[in-house]
Every structure is written in C-alpha cells, then in structure tokens.
Amino acid sequence: CYTPFISSVSGQTTTTAVIKAQGSAEATEFQFTINGETRTSNTNTITWTGLEAGNEYSVTVAAKCGEEQTATSAPYKFRTRCNPLELPYEDKFEAGNTSKECWITTTPLATADQTYAGTDAVLMNGGSSYILPELAMTDVRNYELSFMVYGLSLNNQFNVGVLADPSDVASFSTAKVVNVKEKELWREVVVTFEDVVAGHENDKFIAFNLPVGQSIIVDNLLVRQKPACQKVTNLDVIVYGDELDVTWE
C-alpha cells in the first residue's frame, strides 16, 4: 500500500473544490487534510466545502489499506475563486497592485520583462487559456475590454470571448479574433461583445484563448462600461509627397 498523492484539484468555486488523489488499488480509505482538518472518503475523490474566496490552500492525503496506514503525501497547493470584482476593472499587473492571482488559467500568468508602462506586464503562452476574474456584469454587451498587446512573432492571432463556467472551456464564445501583424511592437486592442453567441450575454468571465505558437505580452488591461463612441486606436499616418494616408481601427 503505497503513499498516495494529490493528482488534481478542479472545479473550484469561491467556497468549494474537488480534490482527487491517486493511490493503491488496495486503499480502503483516503484521508484529506487542509489547515489541520482531516476529512475521509471511501473513494479517491472528495468535494471540500467551507473554504474562503480568493485564498490559497495546501492539501495533503494519506490512505488506509485495511489496518495499514500510509505516510502523508507532499502538499498540493490550489486557490479558490475570488468573489466577483466590481467594474470598472483595471489591471496594470504591477507588483503589489494586481488581481492576477484571481485569474483562472491553464498555464500560470508569468511576469514579462517587456512592458508598455511601469515595471510589470504578463506573458500569455500559446496553447493556453487565460480567464479574467469573475466580474459583476449584468450584460456583457454593455461593456468593452481594452488592453495593450505586444506580439512575439509576426501575425499573432488569438481569440477574446466570454464563458459562463471557467471550468468548462468548451463553453467559450468568441467575441473577436485579434490579429497582431507587427512583431515586437505595442498596439492597443478594444473588444466589444455584441457578437457573442445568443445565450452568452450574461456570462461573467472574459477570456483570452491562444492557439499553439501564438504567445503575447499584455499590459494596461481595462474592462469598463461601453462608451457611446468607441475609441479610435492604432492611428497610422504615412506621408506620400504632399498627401497623407491615414488609417485607424
């Protein structure tokens, strides 16, 4: 009967988490411990209730095989979801003044050396999803998301959209496909949500979905009430003799 270990923690809400262990087939009882409190399960999975929102926890597991007691596993860290954040939501990802610990991601948000302003930005790696904290929105079509993005390759392309359940990536609905044609240049992106699929209007989570090979850096992110007139971005002026070619987005 070998020492079990925590194989995953999933489905976190503000107060609960589903904890799964892997252990010996002969195990008759699994003993999960958080903050000195132990709860037992006859299976290798337990739904732990009574947690607090936005907190990091460490869980360990031990097992019994009949009368034999195993050693305790190494701790496994996880975080509960944060309570919904009020709008406008702004994050410049500066150390000590960021809510990035409330993001839900398949790959951790890494700090990037290249920044648009200040000392910190975040690196989003290709092949990953990055979900903003739950936001206190009533209808996502009434809001806009803006951010500065820095492409790490030519023709970066990624999706921005919404989803109702951050544990179900399949529920993602695209609002905008963003194309960053320039490499190693900052540009501003504004996303509105009129084009989300019907039924997603009341989703509370905005997400970035990056294909493999499409890594980007993001800074100065803002979610706010959509203004009556959308902001002009990425103004570009090219001089041809005595004529100007002006483009914008």
Coordinates of all heavy atoms in Angstrom, one line a residue, residues 94-153:
E94 N 1.1 45.5 -11.9 CA 2.2 46.0 -11.1 C 2.3 45.2 -9.8 O 1.2 45.0 -9.2 CB 2.2 47.5 -10.8 CG 2.2 48.3 -12.1 CD 3.5 48.2 -12.8 OE1 4.6 48.4 -12.2 OE2 3.5 47.8 -14.0
A95 N 3.5 44.8 -9.3 CA 3.6 44.0 -8.1 C 3.0 44.8 -7.0 O 3.2 46.0 -6.8 CB 5.1 43.8 -7.8
G96 N 2.2 44.1 -6.2 CA 1.5 44.7 -5.0 C 0.2 45.4 -5.4 O -0.5 45.9 -4.5
N97 N -0.1 45.5 -6.7 CA -1.3 46.3 -7.1 C -1.9 45.6 -8.3 O -2.1 46.2 -9.3 CB -1.0 47.7 -7.4 CG -2.2 48.6 -7.6 OD1 -3.3 48.3 -7.1 ND2 -2.1 49.6 -8.4
T98 N -2.2 44.3 -8.1 CA -2.7 43.5 -9.2 C -3.7 42.4 -8.7 O -3.6 42.0 -7.5 CB -1.6 42.8 -10.0 OG1 -2.2 42.0 -11.1 CG2 -0.7 41.9 -9.1
S99 N -4.6 42.0 -9.6 CA -5.6 41.0 -9.2 C -5.3 39.7 -10.0 O -6.2 38.9 -10.1 CB -7.0 41.4 -9.4 OG -7.3 42.6 -8.7
K100 N -4.1 39.6 -10.5 CA -3.8 38.4 -11.4 C -3.9 37.1 -10.7 O -4.1 36.1 -11.3 CB -2.5 38.6 -12.1 CG -1.2 38.5 -11.3 CD 0.0 38.7 -12.2 CE 1.3 38.5 -11.4 NZ 2.5 38.7 -12.2
E101 N -3.8 37.1 -9.3 CA -4.0 35.9 -8.6 C -5.4 35.4 -8.7 O -5.7 34.2 -8.4 CB -3.6 36.0 -7.1 CG -4.5 36.9 -6.3 CD -4.3 38.4 -6.4 OE1 -3.4 38.8 -7.1 OE2 -5.1 39.1 -5.8
C102 N -6.3 36.2 -9.1 CA -7.7 35.8 -9.3 C -8.0 35.3 -10.7 O -9.2 34.9 -10.9 CB -8.7 37.0 -8.9 SG -8.7 37.5 -7.2
W103 N -7.1 35.4 -11.6 CA -7.3 34.9 -12.9 C -7.3 33.4 -12.9 O -6.7 32.7 -12.0 CB -6.2 35.3 -13.9 CG -6.2 36.8 -14.3 CD1 -6.3 37.8 -13.5 CD2 -6.2 37.3 -15.6 NE1 -6.3 39.0 -14.2 CE2 -6.2 38.7 -15.5 CE3 -6.1 36.7 -16.9 CZ2 -6.2 39.5 -16.7 CZ3 -6.0 37.5 -18.0 CH2 -6.1 38.9 -17.9
I104 N -8.0 32.7 -13.8 CA -8.1 31.3 -13.9 C -7.4 30.9 -15.2 O -7.9 31.3 -16.3 CB -9.6 30.8 -13.9 CG1 -10.2 31.4 -12.6 CG2 -9.7 29.3 -13.9 CD1 -11.7 31.3 -12.7
T105 N -6.3 30.2 -15.1 CA -5.5 29.9 -16.3 C -5.1 28.5 -16.4 O -5.0 27.8 -15.4 CB -4.2 30.8 -16.3 OG1 -3.4 30.4 -15.1 CG2 -4.6 32.3 -16.1
T106 N -4.9 28.0 -17.7 CA -4.4 26.7 -17.9 C -2.9 26.6 -17.7 O -2.3 25.6 -17.5 CB -4.8 26.1 -19.2 OG1 -4.4 27.1 -20.3 CG2 -6.3 26.0 -19.3
T107 N -2.2 27.8 -17.9 CA -0.8 28.0 -17.7 C -0.6 29.2 -16.9 O -1.3 30.2 -17.2 CB -0.1 28.1 -19.1 OG1 -0.3 27.0 -19.9 CG2 1.4 28.3 -18.9
P108 N 0.2 29.2 -15.8 CA 0.3 30.4 -15.0 C 0.7 31.7 -15.7 O 1.4 31.6 -16.7 CB 1.4 30.0 -14.0 CG 1.4 28.5 -14.0 CD 1.0 28.1 -15.4
L109 N 0.1 32.8 -15.3 CA 0.5 34.1 -15.8 C 1.9 34.4 -15.4 O 2.2 34.5 -14.2 CB -0.5 35.2 -15.3 CG -1.8 35.4 -16.1 CD1 -2.7 36.3 -15.3 CD2 -1.6 35.9 -17.5
A110 N 2.8 34.5 -16.3 CA 4.2 34.9 -16.0 C 4.4 36.4 -16.1 O 3.8 37.0 -17.0 CB 5.1 34.1 -16.9
T111 N 5.3 36.9 -15.3 CA 5.7 38.3 -15.5 C 6.7 38.5 -16.6 O 7.6 37.7 -16.8 CB 6.4 38.8 -14.2 OG1 5.5 38.6 -13.1 CG2 6.8 40.2 -14.3
A112 N 6.4 39.5 -17.5 CA 7.2 39.7 -18.7 C 8.1 40.9 -18.4 O 7.8 41.8 -17.7 CB 6.3 40.0 -19.9
D113 N 9.3 40.8 -19.0 CA 10.3 41.9 -18.9 C 9.9 43.1 -19.7 O 10.1 44.2 -19.4 CB 11.7 41.4 -19.2 CG 12.2 40.3 -18.3 OD1 11.8 40.4 -17.1 OD2 13.0 39.5 -18.7
Q114 N 9.3 42.8 -20.9 CA 8.9 43.9 -21.8 C 7.6 44.4 -21.3 O 6.6 43.7 -21.1 CB 8.7 43.3 -23.2 CG 8.4 44.4 -24.2 CD 9.5 45.3 -24.5 OE1 10.7 44.9 -24.6 NE2 9.2 46.6 -24.8
T115 N 7.5 45.8 -21.1 CA 6.3 46.4 -20.6 C 5.9 47.6 -21.4 O 6.7 48.2 -22.1 CB 6.4 46.8 -19.1 OG1 7.4 47.9 -19.0 CG2 6.9 45.7 -18.2
Y116 N 4.6 47.9 -21.4 CA 4.1 49.1 -22.1 C 4.3 50.3 -21.2 O 4.7 51.4 -21.6 CB 2.7 49.0 -22.5 CG 2.1 50.2 -23.1 CD1 2.5 50.6 -24.4 CD2 1.2 51.0 -22.3 CE1 2.0 51.8 -24.9 CE2 0.7 52.2 -22.9 CZ 1.1 52.6 -24.2 OH 0.6 53.7 -24.7
A117 N 4.1 50.1 -19.9 CA 4.2 51.2 -18.9 C 4.5 50.5 -17.5 O 4.1 49.4 -17.3 CB 3.0 52.0 -18.8
G118 N 5.2 51.2 -16.7 CA 5.5 50.6 -15.4 C 6.6 49.6 -15.5 O 7.4 49.6 -16.4
T119 N 6.6 48.7 -14.5 CA 7.7 47.7 -14.4 C 7.2 46.3 -14.7 O 8.1 45.4 -14.9 CB 8.3 47.7 -13.0 OG1 7.3 47.4 -12.0 CG2 8.9 49.1 -12.7
D120 N 5.9 46.0 -14.8 CA 5.4 44.6 -15.0 C 4.3 44.6 -16.1 O 3.5 45.5 -16.2 CB 4.9 44.1 -13.7 CG 5.9 43.9 -12.6 OD1 7.0 43.3 -13.0 OD2 5.7 44.2 -11.5
A121 N 4.4 43.5 -16.8 CA 3.3 43.1 -17.7 C 3.2 41.6 -17.6 O 3.9 40.9 -16.8 CB 3.6 43.5 -19.1
V122 N 2.2 40.9 -18.3 CA 2.1 39.5 -18.2 C 2.3 38.8 -19.6 O 1.9 39.3 -20.6 CB 0.7 39.1 -17.6 CG1 0.6 39.5 -16.2 CG2 -0.4 39.7 -18.4
L123 N 3.0 37.7 -19.5 CA 3.2 36.8 -20.7 C 2.1 35.8 -20.8 O 1.8 35.1 -19.8 CB 4.5 36.1 -20.6 CG 4.9 35.1 -21.6 CD1 4.9 35.7 -23.0 CD2 6.2 34.3 -21.3
M124 N 1.4 35.7 -21.9 CA 0.4 34.7 -22.2 C 1.0 33.7 -23.2 O 1.3 34.2 -24.4 CB -0.9 35.3 -22.6 CG -1.5 36.2 -21.6 SD -3.2 36.8 -22.2 CE -3.7 37.8 -20.8
N125 N 1.1 32.5 -22.9 CA 1.7 31.5 -23.8 C 0.7 30.8 -24.7 O -0.4 30.6 -24.3 CB 2.4 30.4 -22.9 CG 3.7 30.9 -22.3 OD1 4.6 31.4 -22.9 ND2 3.8 30.8 -21.0
G126 N 1.2 30.5 -25.9 CA 0.3 29.9 -26.9 C -0.1 28.5 -26.4 O 0.6 27.8 -25.6
G127 N -1.3 28.1 -26.8 CA -1.8 26.8 -26.4 C -2.5 26.8 -25.1 O -2.7 25.8 -24.4
S128 N -2.8 28.0 -24.6 CA -3.3 28.2 -23.2 C -4.6 29.1 -23.2 O -4.8 29.9 -24.2 CB -2.3 28.8 -22.3 OG -1.1 28.0 -22.3
S129 N -5.3 29.0 -22.2 CA -6.5 29.9 -21.9 C -6.2 30.7 -20.7 O -5.8 30.2 -19.7 CB -7.8 29.1 -21.8 OG -8.1 28.4 -23.0
Y130 N -6.6 32.0 -20.8 CA -6.4 32.9 -19.6 C -7.7 33.6 -19.4 O -8.2 34.4 -20.2 CB -5.3 33.9 -20.0 CG -4.0 33.3 -20.1 CD1 -3.6 32.8 -21.4 CD2 -3.1 33.1 -19.1 CE1 -2.3 32.2 -21.6 CE2 -1.9 32.5 -19.2 CZ -1.5 32.1 -20.5 OH -0.3 31.4 -20.6
I131 N -8.3 33.3 -18.2 CA -9.7 33.8 -17.9 C -9.6 34.9 -16.8 O -9.0 34.7 -15.8 CB -10.6 32.6 -17.4 CG1 -10.6 31.5 -18.5 CG2 -12.0 33.1 -17.1 CD1 -11.2 30.2 -18.0
L132 N -10.1 36.1 -17.1 CA -10.1 37.1 -16.1 C -10.9 36.7 -14.9 O -11.8 35.8 -14.9 CB -10.8 38.4 -16.7 CG -9.9 39.3 -17.6 CD1 -9.4 38.6 -18.8 CD2 -10.6 40.6 -17.9
P133 N -10.7 37.4 -13.8 CA -11.6 37.2 -12.6 C -13.1 37.4 -12.9 O -13.4 38.1 -13.9 CB -11.1 38.2 -11.6 CG -9.8 38.6 -12.0 CD -9.8 38.5 -13.5
E134 N -13.9 36.7 -12.2 CA -15.4 36.9 -12.4 C -15.7 38.4 -12.1 O -15.2 39.0 -11.2 CB -16.2 36.1 -11.4 CG -17.6 36.2 -11.6 CD -18.4 35.2 -10.7 OE1 -17.8 34.5 -9.9 OE2 -19.7 35.3 -10.7
L135 N -16.5 39.0 -13.1 CA -16.8 40.4 -13.0 C -18.3 40.6 -12.8 O -19.1 39.8 -13.3 CB -16.4 41.1 -14.3 CG -14.9 41.0 -14.6 CD1 -14.6 41.6 -16.0 CD2 -14.1 41.7 -13.6
A136 N -18.6 41.6 -12.0 CA -20.0 41.9 -11.7 C -20.7 42.6 -12.8 O -21.1 43.7 -12.8 CB -20.1 42.7 -10.4
M137 N -20.9 41.8 -14.0 CA -21.5 42.4 -15.2 C -22.9 41.9 -15.2 O -23.2 40.7 -14.8 CB -20.8 41.9 -16.4 CG -19.3 42.4 -16.5 SD -18.5 41.9 -18.1 CE -18.4 40.1 -17.9
T138 N -23.8 42.7 -15.7 CA -25.2 42.3 -15.9 C -25.5 41.8 -17.4 O -26.3 40.9 -17.6 CB -26.2 43.4 -15.6 OG1 -25.8 44.6 -16.3 CG2 -26.1 43.7 -14.1
D139 N -24.9 42.5 -18.3 CA -25.0 42.1 -19.7 C -23.7 42.5 -20.4 O -23.4 43.6 -20.5 CB -26.2 42.8 -20.4 CG -26.4 42.3 -21.8 OD1 -25.5 41.9 -22.5 OD2 -27.6 42.5 -22.3
V140 N -22.9 41.5 -20.8 CA -21.6 41.7 -21.3 C -21.6 42.6 -22.6 O -20.6 43.3 -22.9 CB -20.9 40.4 -21.6 CG1 -21.5 39.7 -22.8 CG2 -19.4 40.6 -21.8
R141 N -22.7 42.7 -23.3 CA -22.8 43.5 -24.5 C -22.7 45.0 -24.1 O -22.5 45.9 -25.0 CB -24.1 43.2 -25.2 CG -24.1 41.8 -25.8 CD -25.5 41.5 -26.4 NE -26.5 41.5 -25.4 CZ -27.8 41.3 -25.6 NH1 -28.2 41.0 -26.8 NH2 -28.7 41.3 -24.6
N142 N -22.9 45.4 -22.8 CA -22.8 46.7 -22.4 C -21.4 47.2 -22.0 O -21.2 48.3 -21.5 CB -23.7 47.0 -21.2 CG -25.2 46.8 -21.6 OD1 -25.6 47.1 -22.7 ND2 -26.0 46.2 -20.7
Y143 N -20.4 46.3 -22.2 CA -19.1 46.6 -21.7 C -18.0 46.4 -22.8 O -18.3 45.8 -23.8 CB -18.7 45.6 -20.5 CG -19.6 45.8 -19.3 CD1 -20.8 45.0 -19.2 CD2 -19.3 46.7 -18.4 CE1 -21.6 45.2 -18.1 CE2 -20.2 46.9 -17.3 CZ -21.3 46.2 -17.2 OH -22.2 46.3 -16.1
E144 N -16.9 47.0 -22.6 CA -15.8 46.8 -23.5 C -14.5 46.5 -22.8 O -14.3 46.8 -21.6 CB -15.5 48.0 -24.4 CG -14.9 49.2 -23.7 CD -14.5 50.3 -24.6 OE1 -15.0 50.4 -25.7 OE2 -13.6 51.1 -24.2
L145 N -13.6 45.7 -23.4 CA -12.3 45.4 -22.9 C -11.3 46.0 -23.8 O -11.3 46.0 -25.0 CB -12.1 43.8 -23.0 CG -10.7 43.3 -22.8 CD1 -10.2 43.5 -21.4 CD2 -10.6 41.8 -23.3
S146 N -10.3 46.7 -23.1 CA -9.2 47.3 -23.9 C -7.9 46.8 -23.2 O -7.8 46.6 -22.0 CB -9.3 48.8 -23.9 OG -9.2 49.4 -22.6
F147 N -6.8 46.7 -24.0 CA -5.5 46.3 -23.5 C -4.5 46.6 -24.5 O -4.7 46.8 -25.7 CB -5.5 44.8 -23.1 CG -5.9 43.9 -24.2 CD1 -4.9 43.3 -25.1 CD2 -7.2 43.6 -24.5 CE1 -5.3 42.5 -26.1 CE2 -7.6 42.7 -25.5 CZ -6.6 42.2 -26.3
M148 N -3.2 46.7 -24.0 CA -2.1 46.8 -24.9 C -1.5 45.5 -25.1 O -1.4 44.7 -24.1 CB -1.0 47.8 -24.3 CG -1.5 49.2 -24.0 SD -2.1 50.1 -25.5 CE -0.6 50.1 -26.5
V149 N -1.1 45.1 -26.3 CA -0.6 43.8 -26.6 C 0.7 43.9 -27.4 O 0.8 44.8 -28.3 CB -1.6 43.0 -27.4 CG1 -2.0 43.6 -28.7 CG2 -1.1 41.5 -27.6
Y150 N 1.6 43.0 -27.2 CA 2.9 43.0 -27.8 C 3.1 41.7 -28.4 O 3.2 40.6 -27.7 CB 4.0 43.3 -26.7 CG 5.4 43.4 -27.1 CD1 5.9 44.7 -27.5 CD2 6.3 42.3 -27.1 CE1 7.3 44.8 -27.9 CE2 7.6 42.5 -27.5 CZ 8.1 43.7 -27.8 OH 9.4 43.9 -28.2
G151 N 3.2 41.6 -29.7 CA 3.3 40.3 -30.4 C 4.7 39.8 -30.4 O 5.7 40.6 -30.6
L152 N 4.9 38.5 -30.1 CA 6.2 37.9 -30.1 C 6.6 37.3 -31.4 O 7.7 36.7 -31.5 CB 6.3 37.0 -28.9 CG 6.1 37.6 -27.5 CD1 6.1 36.6 -26.4 CD2 7.2 38.6 -27.3
S153 N 5.7 37.3 -32.3 CA 6.0 36.8 -33.7 C 5.2 37.5 -34.7 O 4.3 38.2 -34.3 CB 5.8 35.3 -33.8 OG 4.4 35.0 -33.5

